[in-house]
Amino acid sequence: MNSLLEVSGVSVTFDGFRAINNLSFTIGPAELRAIIGPNGAGKTTFMDIVTGKTRPDEGKVVWGEMAHSLLRMSEAQIARAGVGRKFQRPTVFEDQSVSDNLVMALRAPRSPFSVLWWRPKPADMDRVQALAAEVGLAAELPRKAGELSHGQKQWLEIGMLLAQEPRLLLVDEPAAGMTLAEREHTTALLVELAKTRAVVVVEHDMEFVRRLNCKVTVLHEGAVLAEGTLDHVTKNPQVIEVYLGR
Amino acid sequence: MTRTFLSRNPSVLWFLLALSLFTLGVTLMSEATGAALISTSFVKTLGKTLCLCLVALAMDLIWGYAGILSLGHMAFFALGGYMIGMWLMYARTEEIVVAAMANEALPATALEIRNGIAGQIFGVVGASELPPVWLFAHSLPLQLMLVVAVPGVLALVFGWLAFRSRVTGVYLSILTQAMTLALALWLFQNDSGLRGNNGLSGLQNIPGLGHVPQATLSMWFFWASALALGVAYVAVAWMMSGKFGSVIRAIRDDEQRVRFLGYPVEGYKLFVFTLTAIIAAIAGALYYPQAGIINPAELAPIASIYLAVWVAIGGRGRLYGAVIGAAFVSLLSSWFTGGRAPSVNLGFYTINWVDWWLVLLGLSFVLVTLFAPKGLAGLFDLAAHIRAPDRKGAPLGPDDGALMEREARK
């Protein structure tokens, strides 16, 4: 199978604690995947490794058709290569307007010199308008991001992620702090996005995962415990013991 | 969205208006071009103040916008001064040496003139040869290039090393302070080639312009300083108004997040660090010909700390704040330390402002930091009835954006 991201045999140790232990993971170019697992299973560390924040002690992380190793790239280079990440807590630039936040995220050259001379073209502002409409913030464009509610910040961050046009989306607990209606909107959006790109969702909420209706990877103690449909993995006795049984 | 740069930044126009009126006022009151209401030395003080405003602008860019508290920018300022000072001193001494040798029977050779200049400049530190760093001192264009190049390259190399290893916050501040201290200690040595603790002097005498009175020269430098400040202000405001400014402020607030957006954070920091070093150097090159003398004490870490204090008191994060802070505090400082401020007699103790000014400055710095974080520039908000919400107390709702107790009471 042609894969977009291939993580193989990755291990990382923090002060003697094995956060990731010989982990292997593969995702295709247009696929939705949920990662579940108890606290400390290594979900966040896994994302840190893929986005370049943490360097693994051993193993390979290979990206794209050209099979580039992500391990030699900086966070910014990985992001430019097409990996977008949404944090659990919404992290938007609170001191700046919603529109400035989106403009910053828009896919465009990122070097200081090209950004210095960059000025928005009508097409760019149309794109910002469209993105804001998609995440329900069309009326909030001139407001400071810091004035938005928690849920609106979540949406703004999702909008910024969309503006980046990543090929792989890493989403950490997208539904946290959202109302039921917003959760449904998020589910629909993620399913829709996964038609054209790879989406990895880390989630605690089983109901949310069920609604995503996708392949599930269960992490435990830094390694893959089980993989398959939600029904398949929930029948796995090991999974029941370490995660669902509690 | 389609509004122009100036309509989005009305403060730029106001600033330019104020600067022009100030320049016009001083021009009309000066000895050389006006009614002689203010002395030449005061014109020089005002011209120097404009240069300090310019370096404060650079400090605001690096600290207020990019969030990097550099405690070494006065080193770049002084280096700019040294670079221009070398030419001023060399060319001026050349004039004197040539005039002295004109009476001799044989015309002086180029080597004799060069040796004469070296003896004149370096006799004071017991040397008689021009050190290699004076290689370009005979040429104004080359030395002007060095004004930009030396501090620029130093900032580039220093910044590259520091930012690449992701040194941030207080550790970076300490590093910048160590840099300026090391540079000052090096310059204090006689064999550094820049006359040790004597520094460079006589910089107010501009070579080739001996016939122009100081009153006129002081106006020329005043105008040049005002022009440099105006141009830099507009340029920096333009930079900060676009996406570049957005990214810079984002780096200040959460640099890790900016990395995940794909921006090379280190490159941006290096760009701003180097740019502000160059602005500081240009300010220094305009300052020291007005001051007349430069010595390694100008690079002392305390100078850079003052710079941070000016920007903090003026209000960091907005350009006019930095300018107001630098102008206000440095003028006040020269008033207090110049012995013109009347002493306060408390009966049991007399407050002599020359000694107590620093205490007063330190106290106002603490008070501004605690009670008026927006600084003097916050007064404009007060006038415009913009008030930051008082977000103290407990939140009234579950969301981050919920009203806080005290807000709701209003």
Side-chain angles (χ1 to χ4, degrees):
Chain A
M1 192 182 101
N2 196 3
S3 65
L4 179 67
L5 176 77
E6 192 178 333
V7 176
S8 50
V10 165
S11 295
V12 64
T13 310
F14 297 125
D15 297 327
F17 170 67
R18 282 216 144 207
I20 297 283
N21 187 9
N22 195 20
L23 178 89
S24 295
F25 177 89
T26 305
I27 189 163
E31 188 185 343
L32 182 59
R33 180 77 63 90
I35 295 185
I36 59 174
N39 282 330
K43 302 187 296 281
T44 304
T45 312
F46 165 73
M47 284 200 176
D48 285 347
I49 288 173
V50 174
T51 52
K53 197 179 174 193
T54 302
R55 302 274 166 214
D57 303 327
E58 53 189 273
K60 282 197 296 185
V61 182
V62 178
W63 167 260
E65 295 78 17
M66 308 292 286
H68 286 299
S69 169
L70 290 186
L71 298 181
R72 276 194 297 275
M73 291 159 75
S74 70
E75 292 105 308
Q77 283 171 326
I78 291 174
R80 287 202 296 276
V83 179
R85 178 172 185 181
K86 194 206 158 297
F87 292 85
Q88 192 174 344
R89 270 176 53 86
T91 45
V92 295
F93 301 107
E94 311 219 338
D95 194 34
Q96 304 195 33
S97 72
V98 172
S99 123
D100 284 344
N101 270 281
L102 287 170
V103 165
M104 234 188 296
L106 276 186
R107 193 172 175 82
R110 296 297 206 222
S111 84
F113 294 96
S114 41
V115 168
L116 189 56
W117 301 109
W118 188 92
R119 285 292 177 262
K121 287 181 278 298
D124 296 316
M125 295 330 289
D126 290 347
R127 177 99 178 98
V128 167
Q129 280 287 348
L131 282 165
E134 187 167 359
V135 295
L137 293 173
E140 323 290 342
L141 276 176
R143 284 181 68 192
K144 276 198 177 182
E147 297 170 3
L148 300 179
S149 74
H150 186 78
Q152 283 176 317
K153 284 181 193 166
Q154 292 273 32
W155 280 113
L156 174 56
E157 201 180 2
I158 291 174
M160 288 166 74
L161 212 52
L162 297 180
Q164 274 178 270
E165 296 172 23
R167 299 183 61 200
L168 168 66
L169 265 163
L170 299 172
V171 194
D172 203 351
E173 300 204 18
M178 281 192 173
T179 63
L180 193 64
E182 282 178 323
R183 278 160 184 252
E184 271 164 18
H185 187 171
T186 313
T187 322
L189 186 67
L190 291 173
V191 170
E192 180 62 33
L193 285 171
K195 286 179 184 158
T196 50
R197 66 200 77 204
V199 179
V200 176
V201 182
V202 166
E203 188 55 74
H204 270 302
D205 185 346
M206 276 306 194
E207 266 317 297
F208 189 80
V209 175
R210 189 174 296 284
R211 248 186 263 127
L212 288 176
N213 189 23
C214 64
K215 194 169 168 186
V216 175
T217 300
V218 185
L219 289 193
H220 179 55
E221 291 179 350
V224 174
L225 190 67
E227 207 163 62
T229 64
L230 187 64
D231 290 329
H232 172 78
V233 299
T234 46
K235 284 189 191 113
N236 184 319
Q238 273 180 298
V239 174
I240 294 170
E241 189 192 335
V242 303
Y243 185 36
L244 304 166
R246 293 188 193 185
Chain B
M1 289 299 147
T2 51
R3 287 153 70 207
T4 60
F5 162 66
L6 283 177
S7 68
R8 271 181 290 122
N9 298 277
S11 71
V12 173
L13 272 186
W14 284 112
F15 177 81
L16 289 181
L17 184 69
L19 183 65
S20 323
L21 285 178
F22 173 69
T23 312
L24 191 68
V26 171
T27 307
L28 291 179
M29 288 193 291
S30 76
E31 278 178 35
T33 52
L37 292 173
I38 51 180
S39 68
T40 297
S41 74
F42 193 60
V43 171
K44 283 189 177 181
T45 304
L46 292 177
K48 285 190 288 181
T49 305
L50 289 177
C51 298
L52 297 179
C53 293
L54 182 55
V55 69
L57 194 72
M59 184 65 185
D60 198 22
L61 184 53
I62 189 80
W63 184 30
Y65 285 83
I68 302 167
L69 174 54
S70 162
L71 294 177
H73 263 59
M74 282 312 256
F76 302 123
F77 181 82
L79 273 181
Y82 262 103
M83 290 305 128
I84 196 68
M86 283 158 78
W87 174 77
L88 287 169
M89 208 166 171
Y90 185 96
R92 171 81 182 148
T93 314
E94 187 176 25
E95 280 181 355
I96 295 169
V97 169
V98 168
M101 287 183 170
N103 301 328
E104 289 177 14
L106 288 170
T109 62
L111 184 68
E112 277 175 321
I113 292 177
R114 208 170 161 80
N115 284 341
I117 296 169
Q120 282 282 325
I121 297 180
F122 287 99
V124 68
V125 291
S128 59
E129 268 177 51
L130 274 183
V133 289
W134 287 70
L135 187 63
F136 301 126
H138 60 278
S139 154
L140 177 62
L142 284 177
Q143 207 63 37
L144 279 179
M145 226 175 61
L146 289 186
V147 164
V148 174
V150 169
V153 170
L154 176 67
L156 198 67
V157 172
F158 178 87
W160 185 74
L161 290 171
F163 298 137
R164 190 189 55 140
S165 354
R166 301 219 173 149
V167 181
T168 53
V170 67
Y171 301 99
L172 189 79
S173 304
I174 293 170
L175 266 191
T176 54
Q177 195 156 65
M179 175 200 72
T180 182
L181 184 61
L183 210 56
L185 292 177
W186 177 70
L187 284 171
F188 263 120
Q189 294 181 329
N190 281 347
D191 52 10
S192 67
L194 289 162
R195 306 211 326 156
N197 65 343
N198 303 288
L200 309 179
S201 54
L203 307 183
Q204 74 278 23
N205 304 309
I206 310 302
L209 295 175
H211 57 282
V212 182
Q214 282 291 320
T216 312
L217 272 180
S218 67
M219 279 319 293
W220 290 357
F221 272 101
F222 178 80
W223 288 330
S225 309
L227 183 70
L229 179 60
V231 170
Y233 191 94
V234 174
V236 171
W238 176 81
M239 266 175 70
M240 289 300 115
S241 74
K243 186 157 129 179
F244 188 85
S246 228
V247 175
I248 291 296
R249 282 180 292 147
I251 288 174
R252 172 190 70 192
D253 294 338
D254 189 346
E255 64 174 71
Q256 192 60 37
R257 180 75 179 89
V258 179
R259 280 197 191 102
F260 285 132
L261 279 177
Y263 290 96
V265 169
E266 283 66 38
Y268 280 82
K269 286 184 172 179
L270 195 55
F271 184 99
V272 174
F273 193 73
T274 310
L275 178 74
T276 52
I278 290 173
I279 296 177
I282 293 172
L286 283 165
Y287 179 94
Y288 287 104
Q290 304 183 64
I293 183 164
I294 180 169
N295 62 45
E298 305 285 322
L299 280 86
I302 187 74
S304 299
I305 295 175
Y306 276 141
L307 182 60
V309 171
W310 296 339
V311 174
I313 289 184
R316 69 197 164 106
R318 46 182 124 187
L319 299 175
Y320 57 89
V323 172
I324 292 170
F328 180 73
V329 182
S330 70
L331 283 177
L332 207 61
S333 162
S334 62
W335 186 65
F336 273 117
T337 54
R340 265 168 290 178
S343 300
V344 179
N345 196 342
L346 297 176
F348 58 93
Y349 184 81
T350 306
I351 294 181
N352 187 354
W353 285 115
V354 176
D355 303 327
W356 280 88
W357 156 244
L358 274 187
V359 178
L360 183 67
L361 181 63
L363 206 63
S364 8
F365 177 56
V366 172
L367 290 178
V368 164
T369 315
L370 285 180
F371 300 111
K374 285 181 181 176
L376 290 174
L379 294 175
F380 289 91
D381 285 358
L382 220 58
H385 300 287
I386 301 171
R387 225 183 278 165
D390 185 1
R391 298 194 63 88
K392 295 193 186 74
L396 295 181
D399 284 340
D400 276 356
L403 283 178
M404 299 287 185
E405 273 176 347
R406 292 204 198 166
E407 271 177 300
R409 242 179 268 153
K410 283 192 184 128

